[in-house]
Amino acid sequence: MAGYIGNFPTALPITTSDLADGLVTTAKIANDAVDATKFDETDNYTFTGTVEGAGGGALIKTGSLTSTSDLGSYSLDSCFSATYLNYFVTFKYAIATDGNQCHLKFRTGGSTNSNSNYQSYIRYSYHTGSVAETTNNNGNSGVLAQDLEATDSQGMQGFMYIFSPFSTSYYTQVTTHFNSKHNGGAKQFHRGGITFDDTTSFDGFQFTQNTGNGSLVDLQCWGIKE
């Protein structure tokens, strides 16, 4: 080959030690130069930003509350804001006294809203096949469940979507699914919703009882990035 006398030099791969830091910028790397085959999916990676799916949506953690203390109420504040319109919540909850109920209330600035604007309808099925319902019309709370078992390991577990809690343009709406145990022993499977019949802005919510104390709560809240 022109320019060489004798044998052509043996080609050697370029290693990281051959490149000065910053020599190859990200702008010089083609979008398809590195694909999924170059990553070990069993490794752990650290990301400093928001990791989103190809569909463009993400859950961003906005608050959490965990307690195993017997209390009259459990409040998660400052978890709603103008940043996200809608929210996803997972929950665990148990009561301290057999037969009591679980209620949901909203909060603003650290104060609980107990106005008679809560409308709730929760339909549930027993493992035996029978069906019942829990309702509350113009109540001072949304009633999630009643006649609960007072054993922490057998408490309620489920999730809810809370729509537009911080907005003053829409009513706050809740859709929920969860399981619980009746204090008589039957397993219960719930689905339904709650509406706050006004455009009040809320920045938090509360789990409480019709009477007595709760004994365990775990609330995890995420904003839905649209």
Side-chain angles (χ1 to χ4, degrees):
M1 183 174 182
Y4 292 94
I5 299 174
N7 294 329
F8 185 74
T10 302
L12 296 174
I14 296 176
T15 67
T16 54
S17 62
D18 298 317
L19 298 175
D21 289 345
L23 186 63
V24 180
T25 65
T26 54
K28 294 178 181 178
I29 301 175
N31 291 336
D32 59 354
V34 181
D35 58 27
T37 63
K38 303 300 183 183
F39 292 92
D40 184 348
E41 294 182 354
T42 64
D43 281 349
N44 296 321
Y45 298 94
T46 300
F47 299 90
T48 58
T50 298
V51 181
E52 299 185 18
L59 296 178
I60 312 300
K61 194 68 170 287
T62 60
S64 64
L65 173 66
T66 301
S67 175
T68 55
S69 299
D70 286 12
L71 297 172
S73 62
Y74 305 89
S75 300
L76 179 55
D77 293 324
S78 302
C79 57
F80 308 143
S81 70
T83 304
Y84 308 107
L85 181 63
N86 304 315
Y87 295 81
F88 178 73
V89 174
T90 62
F91 61 88
K92 296 180 179 68
Y93 172 82
I95 59 171
T97 304
D98 270 351
N100 284 350
Q101 304 174 357
C102 175
H103 291 205
L104 172 71
K105 295 186 177 187
F106 292 109
R107 288 167 60 84
T108 305
S111 297
T112 302
N113 189 305
S114 297
N115 293 340
S116 299
N117 293 89
Y118 294 88
Q119 323 292 330
S120 60
Y121 178 87
I122 307 294
R123 191 168 179 82
Y124 56 98
S125 304
Y126 293 102
H127 73 278
T128 55
S130 58
V131 178
E133 59 191 29
T134 299
T135 64
N136 199 18
N137 180 34
N138 295 323
N140 62 4
S141 63
V143 180
L144 288 171
Q146 58 189 10
D147 300 324
L148 293 170
E149 166 69 29
T151 303
D152 286 0
S153 62
Q154 300 172 31
M156 299 163 54
Q157 295 190 68
F159 66 88
M160 61 178 69
Y161 287 95
I162 302 179
F163 303 99
S164 311
F166 196 78
S167 172
T168 56
S169 298
Y170 308 101
Y171 283 9
T172 298
Q173 309 271 7
V174 178
T175 297
T176 185
H177 283 246
F178 60 93
N179 300 340
S180 72
K181 186 176 180 180
H182 189 277
N183 66 309
K187 286 70 177 178
Q188 303 174 125
F189 309 93
H190 310 250
R191 62 277 184 198
I194 296 170
T195 293
F196 188 85
D197 195 16
D198 192 70
T199 55
T200 304
S201 176
F202 303 113
D203 59 18
F205 65 99
Q206 178 186 91
F207 271 33
T208 186
Q209 306 72 231
N210 59 315
T211 186
N213 291 331
S215 60
L216 173 144
V217 73
D218 184 278
L219 304 174
Q220 306 294 327
C221 183
W222 291 265
I224 303 174
K225 185 175 181 180
E226 300 178 354

